[in-house]
Amino acid sequence: MNPNNYLILAAILFTIGVYGVLVRRNAIIVFMSVELMLNAANLAFVAAARNTGTLDGLVIAFFVMVVAAAEVVVGLAIIVTIFRTRRSASIDEASLMKY
Amino acid sequence: MKVSVEYQALAPIIILLASGVLSVLVEAFIPRTLRRPIQLMLVLASIVLAFAYVVINATAELAGDPLVNGGQVKGLRELAASGSIAIDGPGMVIQGIILLISFVAALLLAERQIDPQGDAFASRSSTLPGSEDERQFTAQGWLQTEIWPLYLFCVGGLLLFPVSNDFLTMFVALEVFSLPLYLIASMARRRRLLSQEAALKYFILGAFSSAFFLFGAALIYAATSSVNFSTVAVAMENSSQDGLIIPGIGMIAVGLLFKVGAVPFHQWVPDVYQGSPTPLTAFMSAATKVAAFGALLRVFYVAFGGMRWDWRPMMWVVAVLSMVIGSLLAVTQTDMKRMLAFSSVAHTGFILLGVISTSAAGLSSTLFYLLAYGFTSVGVFAIVGLVRDASGEATHLSQWAGLGKKSPWIATIFALFLLALAGIPLTSGFTGKFAVFTAAIDGGATPLVIVAVVASAVAAFFYARVIVLMFFTEPPVDGPSVVVPSALTTVAIGTSAAFTVLLGIAPQPVLDLVINAGLFIR
């Protein structure tokens, strides 16, 4: 199977992630969509590593997984704090600051 | 391939990250009463030591390859960590600026006299705002020192970001300095709902943009089979895969322009600057912007230098939008911190002029502007933190009326910073703008400079409005007052004011320094 198809799949997953961030209202779902974008990038790295015959992409995939895990820790901490304060994880309701 | 680590070249980064680890241990094992002095010593000592190493590296007698140096330029210039990190002239200048700003900002973060309840951070950030727990912890005078490990990791990441020489290192550095910032942003003592909201917005948008950066890097990797900037630059010359390269450049630009806060990726700036604890805003508005511009310069000069005809039009649009929208929206603001945030967006546009010139003059003038703007920005937010009433900081513009009559000194220094931001001669802002505009005209961007001058005129209006408000209106009856800070904040404001004046009346030594810094190595 042509490895380029995996690049296309990665682009589709990334677009789904972007759509989720822009459209969904629950902070957790938005956050999941961001993770989907990171994983799409991972898939692109691995597919490109196969395509180009280099190892960099595979190594990067591991780094990205670690970074994503760290981001989950910080992100969930912030979202849980907001949820405890407001009893809601909706990002639309966090709107005290506007023009 | 032999893997090597050049410890001396990397010493500043290693010192900061190692102190971060130490600082976590201090937090875990040292009794509460001793923590603050120890943490503060650790932070200030590690920043000073790292700065000393930057100076040593920058003045080392011909330490690097004599062919690279040509026997002319002093100082270390080498690719460290197997080509992942490039310690070169501009990189070391940016590291130096970040360390200077971090030192001054650390003094602001450590201030404990401004707020009668303690410092600028919540007594316990885990308590619910307005709850009985929170009242008890505050009444018992609990103060947290947890920001210091976060701060050290953040500064370490900021030092790595502008010298990273491949997309992986750059992405990791980006996250290393961003994650602590998201957390500290949520920890304000007063107006905690705003602070938490700022952290949420900063985090969601920050993670969103770094995912763009990463996917862009993946596309570049797919096209050039490398993530190393020098290899990417060579591979792009001969590559026919524009379908991957152009979107890749665009997505990496999104990630970096978000961090510098350029329009149309600026929506987080006003909210995060307003909601965060003010000392952190001072740090963030200066140090993060310096580091992010350092990284932006390196990526677009080294990796994408050969593609400049493709990315310049995009940068033109971003620069014009940043200058115009930043200045216009700043005029409409009624909150001091928000107004300064939009002014920071406009300044991003001005600094982008230097990036667009893609010349040695563009690079050196950008470095100068970053130093000048960084210190002015720290000073301006330091003073914003001093004007308070019973409920905390008084940031509404109307509350600043007549401040010049009540506290002439502070109002005068604030006016000095505002004039520097507006770019009035004899302040650092003028020298910076002049250098950047000259470089942009030489680089063929005259229409942009015309827009920039018009935007500066609009910007001068809202800075002047604050000055008029402070000096020529009657103070309200129950208005806020200027709190007398401890020596920490006084030193911070004094240093910023000194830099602002000195870089305005005698900029030549610093101009020589940034010109001698030379170009990025490949």
Side-chain angles (χ1 to χ4, degrees):
Chain A
M1 189 177 161
N2 185 358
N4 275 336
N5 292 341
Y6 284 99
L7 277 182
I8 295 167
L9 175 63
I12 293 171
L13 285 176
F14 188 82
T15 318
I16 295 173
V18 173
Y19 180 79
V21 172
L22 296 179
V23 171
R24 297 305 293 259
R25 288 291 163 254
N26 185 309
I28 302 279
I29 309 269
V30 169
F31 189 38
M32 273 167 53
S33 305
V34 170
E35 294 297 311
L36 183 61
M37 292 164 71
L38 289 180
N39 284 323
N42 257 356
L43 181 60
F45 269 117
V46 173
R50 176 76 173 77
N51 257 354
T52 58
T54 49
L55 281 176
D56 302 23
L58 304 179
V59 177
I60 292 172
F62 282 111
F63 274 88
V64 174
M65 281 187 237
V66 175
V67 167
E71 214 172 64
V72 168
V73 173
V74 170
L76 284 185
I78 292 173
I79 294 172
V80 167
T81 316
I82 289 267
F83 179 76
R84 287 176 61 216
T85 310
R86 296 172 175 271
R87 289 282 138 209
S88 141
S90 162
I91 46 174
D92 274 2
E93 287 175 28
S95 59
L96 289 170
M97 289 178 288
K98 278 186 181 169
Y99 293 97
Chain B
M1 189 176 76
K2 190 171 163 288
V3 175
S4 62
V5 179
E6 287 74 6
Y7 287 102
Q8 189 184 346
L10 302 180
I13 301 166
I14 296 174
I15 290 170
L16 260 299
L17 294 179
S19 324
V21 175
L22 263 182
S23 178
V24 172
L25 294 176
V26 169
E27 207 53 40
F29 293 112
I30 303 287
R32 177 166 291 276
T33 45
L34 287 176
R35 270 185 219 162
R36 175 175 139 94
I38 291 178
Q39 293 282 28
L40 204 53
M41 288 289 286
L42 187 62
V43 169
L44 296 181
S46 59
I47 292 177
V48 169
L49 192 61
F51 187 74
Y53 260 105
V54 170
V55 174
I56 290 171
N57 288 345
T59 53
E61 283 287 346
L62 211 67
D65 184 351
L67 284 177
V68 176
N69 284 348
Q72 302 290 316
V73 188
K74 275 188 187 175
L76 206 60
R77 273 164 175 66
E78 64 177 347
L79 291 176
S82 307
S84 290
I85 298 172
I87 304 291
D88 50 16
M92 284 188 285
V93 169
I94 288 173
Q95 284 191 332
I97 299 175
I98 293 171
L99 286 166
L100 285 173
I101 290 171
S102 308
F103 189 88
V104 174
L107 300 179
L108 291 177
L109 288 162
E111 172 68 54
R112 280 194 172 171
Q113 263 185 34
I114 293 180
D115 196 314
Q117 290 180 1
D119 53 13
F121 301 96
S123 48
R124 278 221 156 171
S125 40
S126 57
T127 53
L128 287 182
S131 66
E132 185 55 33
D133 276 357
E134 186 197 34
R135 260 195 299 283
Q136 276 182 7
F137 279 117
T138 310
Q140 291 166 5
W142 283 59
L143 296 163
Q144 61 178 356
T145 45
E146 286 143 16
I147 56 157
W148 295 115
L150 295 172
Y151 186 69
L152 284 169
F153 285 124
C154 177
V155 177
L158 286 174
L159 289 183
L160 179 58
F161 194 42
V163 295
S164 35
N165 200 38
D166 65 36
F167 285 117
L168 172 61
T169 314
M170 192 167 261
F171 174 71
V172 173
L174 176 87
E175 294 292 340
V176 168
F177 83 76
S178 297
L179 295 180
L181 280 180
Y182 301 147
L183 287 176
I184 307 179
S186 72
M187 290 183 181
R189 176 178 289 272
R190 312 280 185 147
R191 303 199 176 102
R192 290 185 59 193
L193 285 179
L194 288 193
S195 170
Q196 292 177 355
E197 183 181 320
L200 179 71
K201 288 176 173 170
Y202 196 14
F203 171 74
I204 296 277
L205 292 173
F208 189 52
S209 75
S210 61
F212 269 92
F213 180 88
L214 191 68
F215 201 81
L219 293 182
I220 297 287
Y221 173 62
T224 62
S225 71
S226 173
V227 286
N228 187 282
F229 291 169
S230 345
T231 323
V232 165
V234 175
M236 273 187 178
E237 306 269 325
N238 322 313
S239 175
S240 58
Q241 292 187 296
D242 275 0
L244 290 172
I245 290 177
I246 302 289
I249 293 178
M251 292 173 97
I252 284 170
V254 169
L256 292 172
L257 289 172
F258 173 88
K259 281 292 162 200
V260 299
V263 179
F265 315 106
H266 69 292
Q267 274 89 354
W268 63 279
V269 176
D271 286 353
V272 173
Y273 281 21
Q274 186 190 357
S276 303
T278 309
L280 182 75
T281 311
F283 172 67
M284 200 158 53
S285 68
T288 311
K289 190 163 287 217
V290 173
F293 261 109
L296 188 77
L297 282 167
R298 188 178 295 279
V299 169
F300 281 90
Y301 277 43
V302 178
F304 303 153
M307 304 285 289
R308 72 174 69 104
W309 303 111
D310 290 300
W311 58 258
R312 261 178 147 184
M314 171 190 78
M315 284 291 185
W316 273 56
V317 175
V318 172
V320 169
L321 284 178
S322 300
M323 291 185 289
V324 172
I325 293 182
S327 302
L328 288 182
L329 287 183
V331 174
T332 64
Q333 298 305 315
T334 53
D335 184 277
M336 187 59 89
K337 280 166 97 178
R338 273 187 103 78
M339 191 199 86
L340 290 170
F342 278 108
S343 116
S344 139
V345 172
H347 277 276
T348 300
F350 298 138
I351 306 176
L352 277 175
L353 289 188
V355 179
I356 288 169
S357 342
T358 48
S359 60
L363 179 57
S364 61
S365 61
T366 308
L367 295 181
F368 183 88
Y369 201 118
L370 288 173
L371 176 65
Y373 175 74
F375 270 103
T376 312
S377 185
V378 169
V380 102
F381 281 108
I383 293 185
V384 168
L386 291 182
V387 181
R388 309 178 76 97
D389 57 17
S391 68
E393 284 161 12
T395 52
H396 198 273
L397 275 185
S398 63
Q399 293 173 295
W400 283 64
L403 210 68
K405 289 172 183 150
K406 287 195 284 190
S407 320
W409 269 104
I410 287 292
T412 309
I413 299 176
F414 195 71
L416 166 75
F417 288 137
L418 290 181
L419 292 176
L421 289 175
I424 304 295
L426 294 183
T427 61
S428 60
F430 175 75
T431 325
K433 270 191 184 146
F434 187 78
V436 168
F437 290 178
T438 318
I441 289 177
D442 291 343
T446 315
L448 269 188
V449 175
I450 295 172
V451 176
V453 171
V454 174
S456 301
V458 175
F461 163 73
F462 60 80
Y463 296 125
R465 189 179 60 178
V466 175
I467 296 176
V468 169
L469 194 69
M470 286 194 305
F471 287 99
F472 302 110
T473 45
E474 285 304 312
V477 187
D478 52 348
S481 55
V482 173
V483 183
V484 180
S486 69
L488 295 168
T489 303
T490 316
V491 169
I493 294 176
T495 316
S496 311
F499 266 94
T500 305
V501 174
L502 278 180
L503 294 181
I505 53 179
Q508 203 54 48
V510 180
L511 284 173
D512 288 343
L513 175 77
V514 292
I515 289 166
N516 286 335
L519 295 173
F520 290 119
I521 56 170
R522 281 163 192 276

